[in-house]
Amino acid sequence: PNAIKYYKEAGVLVTEPNKKALYLKKFGILYQKSKNYSAAMNAFIEIKDKYSMTSEGRNIDMYIAGLQLMQDKFFFRIKY
């Protein structure tokens, strides 16, 4: 929980696009690990929308697809 808080604060304070995208990605990964999939997806989508030209932005589709797959597995586990 503390790591999420610190990455979120860092993402707000930093103005350089590459660093902002990096902190958003770390923030999203931590949320994904804590099973807060909507917050993780919001972070990844923000990277895709605002920072697509950064190194993190160019690879973010992989994280979005992985998260969607995790959500689908979670949905099917609950449904059946």
Side-chain angles (χ1 to χ4, degrees):
N2 284 339
I4 291 172
K5 176 184 166 192
Y6 293 132
Y7 280 120
K8 189 173 186 177
E9 289 175 6
V12 170
L13 296 174
V14 167
T15 58
E16 202 273 313
N18 286 314
K19 289 183 181 178
K20 194 159 189 100
L22 176 65
Y23 288 132
L24 276 169
K25 183 176 110 177
K26 289 182 182 270
F27 174 67
I29 290 169
L30 287 171
Y31 265 131
Q32 182 176 351
K33 287 182 178 182
S34 65
K35 295 184 172 48
N36 187 340
Y37 299 128
S38 63
M41 186 62 81
N42 287 338
F44 296 154
I45 295 296
E46 184 174 348
I47 294 169
K48 184 174 178 73
D49 290 345
K50 295 182 181 178
Y51 307 104
S52 61
M53 299 308 286
T54 65
S55 60
E56 306 304 329
R58 286 189 291 273
N59 296 316
I60 203 63
D61 286 332
M62 174 178 61
Y63 289 88
I64 292 171
L67 186 58
Q68 288 172 334
L69 184 62
M70 288 177 75
Q71 287 177 310
D72 288 345
K73 284 183 180 178
F74 181 72
F75 174 74
F76 287 123
R77 213 174 315 144
I78 289 174
K79 190 174 179 183
Y80 297 105

